[in-house]
């Protein structure tokens, strides 16, 4: 296949492209884009959550139904087994164990 001579249009287009990349890029960058640090995963989650709140949408991940311990529930700790107290209060078995440890109450 014979080699085709460049036409005036292709030469001008090539020159224009070369000039643009030289002006846009920094010295030694050779037309590649600069790399920016990636945002952390937690920053992205916060950004998504704030955007959804601003738009009036439901949160993407539902919050856990955490209940704070009341003083009445704290008084029950140590009076019976952790399993019985957990069942009485509607909490998991580990919940009274952890709370007892936080308050320094001994196991019955």
């Amino acid at each position: 296949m014979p080699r085709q001579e460049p036409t005036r249009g292709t030469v001008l287009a090539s020159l224009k492209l070369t000039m643009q990349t030289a002006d846009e890029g920094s010295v030694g960058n050779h037309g590649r884009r600069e790399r920016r640090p990636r945002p952390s995963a937690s920053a992205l989650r916060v950004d998504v959550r704030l955007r959804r709140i601003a738009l009036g949408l439901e949160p993407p991940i539902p919050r856990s139904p955490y209940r704070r311990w009341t003083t009445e529930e704290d008084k029950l700790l140590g009076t019976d087994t952790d399993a019985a107290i957990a069942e009485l209060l509607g909490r998991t078995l580990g919940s009274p164990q952890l709370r007892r440890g936080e308050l320094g109450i001994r196991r019955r």
Side-chain angles (χ1 to χ4, degrees):
M1 176 181 254
R3 185 173 172 208
Q4 293 180 348
E5 291 296 317
T7 62
R8 183 171 188 246
T10 57
V11 171
L12 289 176
S14 170
L15 268 175
K16 187 176 182 181
L17 180 63
T18 306
M19 288 173 44
Q20 283 177 347
T21 55
D23 290 342
E24 290 171 0
S26 62
V27 176
N29 203 13
H30 303 292
R32 285 179 263 140
R33 293 187 316 163
E34 285 186 35
R35 297 191 78 186
R36 284 193 239 152
R38 294 175 64 182
S40 66
S42 61
L44 290 175
R45 281 193 301 272
V46 168
D47 188 42
V48 168
R49 189 169 59 83
L50 292 176
R51 284 185 194 179
R52 290 184 69 88
I53 289 170
L55 294 172
L57 300 172
E58 291 292 319
I61 301 171
R63 298 279 181 178
S64 65
Y66 177 77
R67 286 190 303 139
R68 297 198 180 276
W69 283 83
T70 63
T71 54
E72 292 81 21
E73 290 174 334
D74 284 341
K75 290 176 186 175
L76 290 174
L77 295 173
T79 60
D80 203 353
T81 62
D82 290 337
I85 292 173
E87 188 176 340
L88 177 70
L89 299 177
R91 294 184 177 265
T92 64
L93 178 60
S95 184
Q97 292 172 350
L98 288 172
R99 186 62 177 175
R100 257 190 326 93
E102 291 172 356
L103 299 177
I105 299 173
R106 294 180 57 128
R107 181 172 31 171
R108 180 166 192 241

